C-alpha cells in the first residue's frame, strides 16, 4: 500500500471514528446508540453495498476505513442516486436534493474532509405570486382577494402557510426523534381527518393538498409524519447551502475516495442470505458474494427485488407498503425576462398542475432557468402524458397562469422521480397507521442483510438522513465482526 493510501485510510478512519462517536455522544435515540459501538479489531470481512447514493457511499467509506473489503453495486451509470445535478442545463439546476443547512453536521464534516467546497445559495426571492382559482394575486392582497375562498378564520393566511397554521399550535413533539414514541401514536391517523377535526374548511383542505410538505396528499399521509416535519421546521435554518459546482460533486468525490471502484450498471434483481454469507444477482448475469450486505435501495425499488429467505411480518409489509412522494419537475430555460414584462415576482405558488415555479440564479443573481415542481396527484397527471402531450400541456398551462411567459420560455428537461425505475419516488413518508405498524421494524437486520437509506433514518432530514443511516449500518456490521 502506498503512503498516500495509508494516509487516506488513517484519515477516513478518523471520519469513521468521529462520526460514530458523534452518534454515541450526541444522539439520545436508543435505536441509534445501541448499534454504534466501535470495535478495536476485526476479522477479515467483505461487504457488498447495493446503491451508490449517499447512504451507500458513506457506508462503504466507513467500512473501508475499518479495513473491510467493500464492493459497491449501482444500477445507474452514475453515482449519487437522488442527488443529481443537471450539469448540461444553464445554471446547473438540481433535479434531486436541492440544498442543506448548517444543521447538516455530518454532511458538512464529510464535505470538509473530502475537500468538497460548499457555499451559501442565493436566497429564494421573498416575493411570491399566487395563482389561485384562476386569478393572479400578490401575497399582501390575498386576504381581500376574490380568489380567496377560505373560511373567514382562515382568510388572512397565505395558502403555503395553511399546513403550518393548523399543525404548529398543537404540535406535541418535543424533539426530532419523538415522532417514533408510542406516546404520540394517537396522531398516526390520516392528516385530512386531523385537519377536519381542527375545523379546516374544504377550500383550505384543497389548497393544503398543493405541495403538502413531503407527502402525496393529506388523505394518504399520517398526521404524525406531518407533525414531525413541522417540528423540524420550527428551528429555521440560518444558511441555505449547496455544493459548489453542483451537489453531485459530493457523491462523485466520495466514490473517488473509496479503495474500490463503484461498479455501475449493475441492476440487482435478487439477494440470497445464507448461513455463511450473501449472494447478489444482477440483471446482466453477474453475481457477487460477501460476508454481509448493506442494502440502501428505497423500499419502492426493493419491493421488486427477490430476497431469499423472504422478509417476514411487519418488515415485509413495510417494504411492500411504504409510500413514496411522487415529484415531477419541468426545467424551463428563459429566453427573455418575462417578469419585466408583467412586473410580477418570478416565484409562483399555484393551484394548477405546475404547483410551484421558482428560478435558479447564478452567483450574480442572474436568472438561469426556472423549475416547475409538481407533487402527488399533479405529478401523476404529468407522468401519464406522452412527451409531446406534456410539452403542449406545460406550455399552455404556463401561458394560462403566467401569460407573459408565452414565447419567452422553453422546456429544457422533464425529470420524473415517480417513473424513475431506480427511485420510484422522491422520498419515503408514512401512511396513516404505519408509524405504529412498522417504523421500528423497518431497518432490522435480516440474517446477513443490513438496511440503510434515507427511509430508515430517524432524527435527520434528507441528505443528512442518508448519512445517519450509513453510520447506524456501519456500526451494526462492525459489532458483528469484532
Ligand atoms: C426532488 C428531490 C428533492 C430533494 N431535496 C432535498 C433537499 O433539498 N435537501 C435534502 O437534504 N434532501 C433532499 N432530497 C432527499 C435526498 O436527495 C435523499 O434523502 C438522499 O439523496 C437519499 O440518499 P439514499 O442513499 O438514501 O438513496 P438514493 O440516493 O436513492 O440511493 C440509492 C441508490 O440505489 C440505486 N439503485 C436503485 N435500484 C437499484 C438496483 N436494483 N440495483 C442497484 N442499485 C440500485 C439507485 O440508483 C441509487 O443510486 C431530495 C430528493 C429529491 C428526489
Amino acid at each position: 500500500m502506498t503512503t498516500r493510501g495509508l494516509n487516506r485510510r488513517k484519515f477516513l478512519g478518523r471520519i469513521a471514528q468521529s462520526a460514530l462517536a458523534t452518534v454515541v455522544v450526541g444522539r439520545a435515540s436508543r435505536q441509534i446508540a445501541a448499534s454504534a459501538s466501535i470495535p478495536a479489531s476485526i476479522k477479515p470481512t467483505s461487504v457488498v453495498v447495493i446503491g451508490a447514493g449517499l447512504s451507500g457511499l458513506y457506508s462503504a467509506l466507513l467500512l473501508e476505513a475499518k479495513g473491510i473489503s467493500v464492493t459497491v453495486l449501482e444500477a445507474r451509470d452514475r453515482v449519487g442516486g437522488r442527488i443529481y445535478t443537471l450539469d448540461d442545463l444553464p445554471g446547473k439546476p438540481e433535479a434531486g436534493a436541492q440544498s442543506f443547512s448548517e444543521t447538516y453536521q455530518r454532511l458538512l464534516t464529510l464535505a470538509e474532509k473530502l475537500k468538497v467546497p460548499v457555499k451559501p445559495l442565493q436566497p429564494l426571492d421573498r416575493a411570491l405570486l399566487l395563482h389561485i382559482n384562476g386569478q393572479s394575486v400578490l401575497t399582501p392582497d390575498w386576504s381581500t382577494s376574490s380568489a380567496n375562498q377560505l373560511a373567514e378564520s382562515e382568510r388572512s393566511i397565505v395558502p403555503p402557510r395553511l399546513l403550518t397554521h393548523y399543525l404548529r399550535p398543537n404540535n406535541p413533539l418535543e424533539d426530532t426523534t419523538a415522532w417514533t414514541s408510542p406516546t404520540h401514536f394517537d396522531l398516526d391517523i390520516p392528516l385530512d381527518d386531523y385537519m377536519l377535526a381542527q375545523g379546516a374548511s374544504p377550500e383550505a383542505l384543497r389548497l393544503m393538498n398543493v405541495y403538502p410538505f413531503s407527502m402525496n396528499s393529506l388523505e394518504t399521509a399520517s398526521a404524525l409524519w406531518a407533525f414531525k416535519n413541522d417540528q423540524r421546521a420550527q428551528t429555521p435554518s440560518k444558511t441555505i447551502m449547496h455544493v459548489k459546482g453542483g451537489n453531485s460533486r459530493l457523491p462523485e468525490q466520495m466514490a473517488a475516495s473509496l479503495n474500490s471502484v463503484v461498479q455501475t450498471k449493475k441492476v440487482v434483481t435478487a439477494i440470497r442470505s445464507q448461513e455463511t454469507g450473501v449472494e447478489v444477482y444482477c440483471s446482466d448475469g453477474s453475481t457477487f458474494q460477501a460476508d454481509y450486505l448493506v442494502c440502501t435501495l428505497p423500499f419502492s425499488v426493493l419491493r421488486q427485488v427477490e430476497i431469499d429467505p423472504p422478509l417476514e411480518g411487519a418488515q415485509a409489509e413495510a417494504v411492500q407498503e411504504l409510500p413514496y412522494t411522487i415529484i415531477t419537475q419541468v426545467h424551463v430555460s428563459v429566453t427573455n425576462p418575462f417578469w419585466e414584462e408583467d412586473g410580477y415576482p418570478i416565484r409562483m405558488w399555484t393551484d394548477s398542475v405546475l404547483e410551484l415555479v421558482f428560478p435558479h440564479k447564478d452567483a450574480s443573481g442572474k436568472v438561469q432557468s426556472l423549475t416547475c415542481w409538481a407533487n402527488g396527484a399533479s405529478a401523476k397527471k404529468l407522468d401519464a402524458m406522452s412527451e409531446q402531450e406534456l410539452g403542449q400541456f406545460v406550455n399552455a398551462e404556463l401561458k394560462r397562469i403566467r401569460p407573459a411567459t408565452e414565447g419567452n420560455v422553453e422546456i429544457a428537461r422533464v425529470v420524473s422521480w415517480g417513473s424513475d425505475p431506480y427511485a420510484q419516488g422522491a422520498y419515503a413518508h408514512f401512511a396513516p397507521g404505519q408509524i405504529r405498524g412498522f417504523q421500528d421494524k423497518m431497518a432490522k437486520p435480516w440474517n446477513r442483510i443490513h438496511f440503510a437509506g434515507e427511509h430508515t433514518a430517524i432524527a435527520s432530514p434528507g441528505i443528512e438522513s442518508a448519512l445517519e443511516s450509513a453510520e447506524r449500518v456501519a456500526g451494526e456490521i462492525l459489532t458483528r465482526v469484532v
Side-chain angles (χ1 to χ4, degrees):
M1 184 182 290
T2 63
T3 316
R4 213 172 137 243
L6 272 173
N7 283 342
R8 186 177 59 176
R9 174 154 298 180
K10 236 194 245 163
F11 142 73
L12 287 170
R14 277 204 297 273
I15 296 186
Q17 202 76 17
S18 66
L20 291 171
T22 305
V23 174
V24 177
V25 175
R27 303 278 159 183
S29 155
R30 246 185 319 119
Q31 295 95 320
I32 298 172
S35 60
S37 55
I38 307 160
S41 63
I42 59 162
K43 301 178 207 126
T45 306
S46 58
V47 173
V48 167
V49 174
I50 308 180
L54 270 217
S55 60
L57 292 169
Y58 195 40
S59 307
L61 282 170
L62 293 171
L63 292 170
E64 272 196 358
K66 285 290 175 185
I68 291 176
S69 159
V70 180
T71 304
V72 183
L73 304 178
E74 167 56 48
R76 301 176 201 267
D77 59 1
R78 62 172 179 84
V79 300
R82 282 171 277 169
I83 294 189
Y84 180 29
T85 307
L86 300 176
D87 286 313
D88 56 334
L89 297 194
K92 300 188 177 191
E94 300 293 345
Q98 308 283 299
S99 59
F100 46 88
S101 74
E102 73 284 348
T103 62
Y104 286 51
Q105 276 310 312
R106 293 179 186 86
L107 176 72
L108 292 173
T109 306
L110 182 64
E112 192 185 344
K113 304 243 170 167
L114 294 178
K115 297 196 171 19
V116 174
V118 302
K119 59 175 207 164
L121 263 179
Q122 279 281 331
L124 263 188
D125 301 347
R126 287 187 74 80
L128 179 68
L129 180 64
L130 305 171
H131 188 91
I132 292 169
N133 290 318
Q135 293 184 51
S136 293
V137 186
L138 292 167
T139 50
D141 303 331
W142 171 246
S143 62
T144 55
S145 167
S146 60
N148 185 337
Q149 291 171 19
L150 292 168
E152 209 44 51
S153 59
E154 299 162 331
R155 282 188 71 82
S156 62
I157 303 147
V158 285
R161 298 279 308 163
L162 278 166
L163 259 174
T164 307
H165 167 80
Y166 278 110
L167 291 171
R168 186 72 48 93
N170 303 316
N171 195 330
L173 304 183
E174 57 279 7
D175 59 39
T176 52
T177 62
W179 65 280
T180 61
S181 160
T183 327
H184 301 300
F185 284 176
D186 57 325
L187 290 168
D188 194 12
I189 57 169
L191 181 53
D192 63 348
D193 284 357
Y194 177 82
M195 291 296 171
L196 280 170
Q198 296 301 306
S201 69
E203 178 69 349
L205 288 175
R206 185 182 78 84
L207 293 176
M208 282 190 273
N209 268 310
V210 175
Y211 192 64
F213 286 166
S214 53
M215 303 161 294
N216 286 320
S217 73
L218 270 53
E219 191 189 344
T220 55
S222 166
L224 186 50
W225 182 253
F227 276 116
K228 173 219 148 189
N229 288 335
D230 177 68
Q231 194 282 334
R232 190 169 283 148
Q234 287 175 34
T235 316
S237 306
K238 293 192 191 81
T239 315
I240 305 297
M241 292 175 258
H242 72 151
V243 175
K244 195 174 170 202
N247 290 337
S248 287
R249 305 298 83 83
L250 178 63
E252 285 164 7
Q253 187 54 37
M254 290 166 80
S257 303
L258 287 169
N259 292 329
S260 55
V261 174
V262 173
Q263 303 215 24
T264 52
K265 299 190 192 165
K266 292 289 178 196
V267 181
V268 172
T269 55
I271 302 165
R272 177 167 302 157
S273 178
Q274 294 163 319
E275 195 119 306
T276 53
V278 288
E279 218 162 23
V280 178
Y281 302 83
C282 297
S283 62
D284 63 359
S286 55
T287 57
F288 296 84
Q289 282 90 29
D291 296 316
Y292 298 98
L293 183 131
V294 173
C295 177
T296 73
L297 305 189
F299 281 2
S300 47
V301 176
L302 184 60
R303 58 188 68 136
Q304 284 128 43
V305 174
E306 193 191 323
I307 301 179
D308 177 29
L311 298 173
E312 289 173 356
Q315 191 171 33
E317 192 190 333
V319 171
Q320 292 307 320
E321 307 286 333
L322 189 72
Y324 277 70
T325 306
I326 303 177
I327 288 174
T328 300
Q329 303 157 343
V330 183
H331 295 270
V332 173
S333 56
V334 180
T335 47
N336 280 302
F338 59 84
W339 52 95
E340 289 175 7
E341 214 169 278
D342 63 15
Y344 281 139
I346 309 173
R347 194 160 71 94
M348 296 183 73
W349 192 99
T350 84
D351 63 359
S352 78
V353 167
L354 300 184
E355 297 196 350
L356 312 182
V357 180
F358 55 89
H360 294 276
K361 297 181 178 181
D362 63 18
S364 70
K366 186 167 182 287
V367 175
Q368 297 288 319
S369 64
L370 296 182
T371 301
C372 307
W373 184 296
N375 197 82
S378 298
K380 217 171 178 179
K381 214 177 256 185
L382 292 176
D383 289 353
M385 295 178 190
S386 68
E387 199 179 319
Q388 194 187 5
E389 284 167 345
L390 188 137
Q392 284 168 355
F393 176 83
V394 170
N395 282 325
E397 202 60 358
L398 274 172
K399 184 176 155 195
R400 183 179 74 81
I401 63 173
R402 193 74 183 254
T405 56
E406 190 178 9
N408 292 323
V409 294
E410 272 169 20
I411 297 173
R413 183 74 50 83
V414 178
V415 178
S416 163
W417 287 102
S419 45
D420 180 323
Y422 307 126
Q424 307 265 0
Y427 14 69
H429 61 269
F430 287 84
Q434 290 185 339
I435 298 178
R436 179 203 301 261
F438 53 60
Q439 181 279 324
D440 62 340
K441 321 233 173 21
M442 283 170 50
K444 288 254 184 297
W446 177 242
N447 300 318
R448 287 173 175 260
I449 305 173
H450 293 254
F451 297 92
E454 58 94 20
H455 51 289
T456 66
I458 291 170
S460 322
I463 316 174
E464 186 78 353
S465 70
L467 300 179
E468 176 192 309
S469 75
E471 285 177 354
R472 174 187 43 75
V473 95
E476 282 171 10
I477 290 180
L478 290 170
T479 54
R480 289 179 82 156
V481 299
V482 188

